[in-house]
């Protein structure tokens, strides 16, 4: 009697478990030490079974990153949807970014911290199309923030696009440092109330972007 076909949900569950195990290995041992055999051993299945779902460890790497950026994008959209007005939506997305980083440290590390291959490393290879999909997913998260800054910042001209991108990257680097230092527990070595500090710095970052309009009108910006 032929084996019953797996449901879509069952397939998705197995694929997810494989990615979870691969992520654990990358965090614990580094990407260079990831292998299909190690993932299979951790799950108690054969390497052949893994190959039914993923081609190689590079595909695992990219699919983990795609999954992470999808999770982040969904959270940003969810938080913004519950708000009215540009400022309120922006503040909600900033807090959602910090929340994602603090509650999903393993995903955050592989998305933003660990030395794992990214799009440019895969250009010219067979897996480049999947790497491009991963990059586009990441840029979708960026575009949510840039769209709000773009709607908020006054002015016209070629300088404006460069200015907005600069402001976003500067703002993002501040948030990234906040999340990374908190996750590494370095803040806990020097601060008595880490949670209060994170909230204050998050509020400061929101205020800095939301004050751009006034600063531009006062001609008090430097790029």
């Amino acid at each position: 009697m032929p084996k019953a076909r797996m449901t879509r949900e069952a397939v998705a569950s197995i694929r997810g478990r494989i990615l979870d195990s691969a992520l654990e290995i990358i965090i614990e041992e580094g990407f260079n030490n990831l292998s299909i055999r190690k993932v299979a051993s951790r799950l108690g299945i054969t390497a052949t079974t893994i190959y039914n779902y993923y081609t190689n460890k590079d595909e695992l790497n990219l699919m983990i990153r795609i999954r992470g950026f999808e999770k982040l994008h969904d959270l940003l959209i969810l938080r913004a949807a519950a708000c009215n007005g540009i400022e309120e939506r922006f503040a909600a997305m900033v807090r959602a970014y910090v929340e994602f980083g603090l509650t999903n440290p393993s995903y955050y590390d592989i998305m933003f911290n660990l030395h794992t291959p990214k799009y440019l490393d895969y250009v010219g290879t067979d897996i480049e199309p999947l790497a491009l999909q991963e990059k586009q997913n990441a840029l979708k998260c960026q575009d949510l923030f840039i769209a709000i800054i773009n709607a908020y910042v006054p002015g016209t001209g070629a300088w404006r696009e460069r200015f907005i991108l600069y402001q976003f990257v500067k703002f993002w680097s501040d948030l990234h440092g906040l999340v990374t230092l908190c996750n590494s527990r370095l803040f806990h070595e020097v601060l008595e109330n880490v949670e209060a500090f994170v909230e204050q710095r998050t509020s400061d970052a929101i205020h800095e972007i939301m004050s751009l309009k006034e600063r531009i009108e006062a001609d008090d910006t430097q790029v």
Side-chain angles (χ1 to χ4, degrees):
M1 185 174 180
K3 190 175 180 180
R5 243 183 118 132
M6 294 181 65
T7 65
R8 184 177 301 178
E9 292 76 14
V11 171
S13 176
I14 293 174
R15 289 177 64 87
R17 287 174 55 218
I18 293 170
L19 293 183
D20 288 342
S21 293
L23 177 56
E24 289 174 1
I25 294 170
I26 292 172
I27 295 298
E28 294 169 8
E29 304 180 30
F31 176 76
N32 289 336
N33 291 313
L34 173 68
S35 71
I36 296 296
R37 288 190 176 278
K38 282 187 178 181
V39 176
S41 176
R42 187 164 294 212
L43 290 172
I45 58 180
T46 66
T48 302
T49 300
I50 303 286
Y51 285 119
N52 288 332
Y53 299 94
Y54 297 103
T55 305
N56 51 41
K57 74 176 194 175
D58 287 304
E59 185 178 4
L60 289 174
N61 169 50
L62 290 170
M63 289 305 299
I64 291 169
R65 294 173 61 81
I66 287 173
R67 197 183 194 198
F69 282 113
E70 286 176 347
K71 287 175 178 287
L72 175 57
H73 187 268
D74 288 348
L75 183 61
L76 295 173
I77 292 290
L78 179 66
R79 294 289 187 268
C83 301
N84 296 312
I86 290 178
E87 295 185 15
E88 192 177 334
R89 290 200 304 275
F90 183 78
M93 288 200 306
V94 172
R95 288 193 164 85
Y97 179 95
V98 174
E99 175 189 337
F100 175 85
L102 297 182
T103 57
N104 301 275
S106 294
Y107 271 108
Y108 192 87
D109 273 349
I110 196 171
M111 290 159 64
F112 298 111
N113 283 326
L114 297 181
H115 185 63
T116 59
K118 299 170 180 63
Y119 171 70
L120 291 178
D121 299 301
Y122 291 118
V123 171
T125 70
D126 291 341
I127 208 168
E128 180 181 347
L130 184 63
L132 179 59
Q133 180 185 339
E134 183 274 329
K135 180 178 180 178
Q136 289 171 336
N137 272 28
L139 291 177
K140 279 170 61 179
C141 297
Q142 170 185 297
D143 290 345
L144 290 175
F145 286 102
I146 288 184
I148 286 187
I149 300 173
N150 187 56
Y152 196 72
V153 171
T156 58
W159 68 272
R160 191 170 180 275
E161 185 174 341
R162 294 193 301 271
F163 175 78
I164 289 173
L165 181 59
Y166 173 85
Q167 292 298 329
F168 166 75
V169 174
K170 181 162 72 76
F171 152 79
W172 174 33
S173 65
D174 289 342
L175 282 189
H176 173 67
L178 182 68
V179 171
T180 300
L181 288 171
C182 189
N183 282 343
S184 69
R185 299 192 63 78
L186 287 174
F187 280 160
H188 298 75
E189 298 290 332
V190 296
L191 297 170
E192 291 185 3
N193 192 334
V194 174
E195 186 176 336
F197 177 79
V198 170
E199 173 55 33
Q200 183 60 57
R201 283 301 300 133
T202 303
S203 297
D204 291 345
I206 293 168
H207 175 73
E208 183 175 352
I209 292 294
M210 292 294 98
S211 68
L212 279 176
K213 182 187 294 186
E214 296 174 3
R215 291 165 54 204
I216 290 173
E217 291 171 348
D219 194 24
D220 186 33
T221 57
Q222 293 183 358
V223 180

